[in-house]
Amino acid sequence: MKRYRGNYAAFTDRGRDRDNNEDQSGVATNENGDVLLVVCDGMGGQNKGDFASKMAIDTMMEAFEQRSRILFPKRFLTHAVRLANARIFEAAEGNPHYEKMGTTLVAALLLGKKLYVVNVGDSRCYSYSRFQGLKRLTCDQTYVDYLVRAGQIKQEETSTHPDRPVLMNALGTSPS
């Protein structure tokens, strides 16, 4: 089976509008040549969004490293994301300083010639080829993207809509 060859790296940037960086990223490979890439964007500001994103990355990496082979990639990704959510939610419930912390997540799992992607919130995954250019692979789980899919607003309206930062889904904000 052909494996992906190349170099993998992770980098985050706090952006222009933030004092601190709540983003985390991680890359792991195993002995089979499988690759897991994860990016999380913490939310919550003083309420430890950086901690939530680190917990999510650590959980995903730990789940990946515990398996020598991944036979059911969709099940693996679903389980790892649910585990990360549970850990973040439990940490937030037990400490008032972490109340309402959460994170978005996007993960790409490369197994052989196949790519499996999962996302929660508005962290995105793209593919690139020199023939097709940049292609978005995920849908944002935001209120304005829901409105676009429901035909309530046009795509062009999303960048100026007052509810554009409202997430419909994130890790750690609810028990499931």
Side-chain angles (χ1 to χ4, degrees):
M1 179 179 291
K2 181 183 176 210
R3 297 290 174 189
Y4 290 90
R5 284 195 285 215
N7 297 314
Y8 303 94
F11 176 78
T12 65
D13 183 86
R14 70 177 170 83
R16 294 174 270 173
D17 301 330
R18 305 273 183 214
D19 292 333
N20 65 327
N21 188 358
E22 295 191 347
D23 303 345
Q24 297 281 332
S25 59
V27 178
T29 59
N30 65 18
E31 59 195 33
N32 296 321
D34 304 328
V35 181
L36 178 67
L37 303 113
V38 185
V39 173
C40 292
D41 182 357
M43 45 187 255
Q46 303 116 312
N47 292 341
K48 300 295 184 187
D50 56 343
F51 182 63
S53 62
K54 180 163 182 4
M55 284 183 74
I57 292 288
D58 291 349
T59 301
M60 297 294 290
M61 293 296 138
E62 181 184 303
F64 182 72
E65 291 164 1
Q66 288 177 351
R67 289 178 173 71
S68 59
R69 259 185 105 187
I70 297 173
L71 299 175
F72 303 102
K74 291 178 186 177
R75 188 180 302 168
F76 162 75
L77 288 170
T78 300
H79 171 75
V81 167
R82 285 183 176 157
L83 182 60
N85 183 74
R87 287 180 177 176
I88 296 165
F89 185 79
E90 287 172 19
E93 267 203 328
N95 187 332
H97 296 293
Y98 296 167
E99 185 180 9
K100 297 183 183 175
M101 76 171 171
T103 186
T104 66
L105 174 142
V106 63
L109 179 62
L110 304 166
L111 298 178
K113 294 182 179 183
K114 297 205 180 216
L115 171 69
Y116 299 88
V117 177
V118 64
N119 79 304
V120 179
D122 61 355
S123 290
R124 297 177 178 170
C125 182
Y126 293 85
S127 67
Y128 175 79
S129 80
R130 62 180 185 206
F131 304 110
Q132 296 180 346
L134 205 56
K135 180 181 173 188
R136 188 166 146 186
L137 301 178
T138 56
C139 292
D140 288 353
Q141 297 167 349
T142 62
Y143 182 63
V144 294
D145 272 44
Y146 163 76
L147 292 175
V148 170
R149 289 190 299 275
Q152 306 260 332
I153 64 171
K154 294 184 180 2
Q155 182 67 44
E156 302 82 51
E157 297 175 68
T158 60
S159 62
T160 58
H161 197 282
D163 291 329
R164 75 181 175 278
V166 176
L167 291 173
M168 302 287 285
N169 201 6
L171 291 181
T173 58
S174 69
S176 62

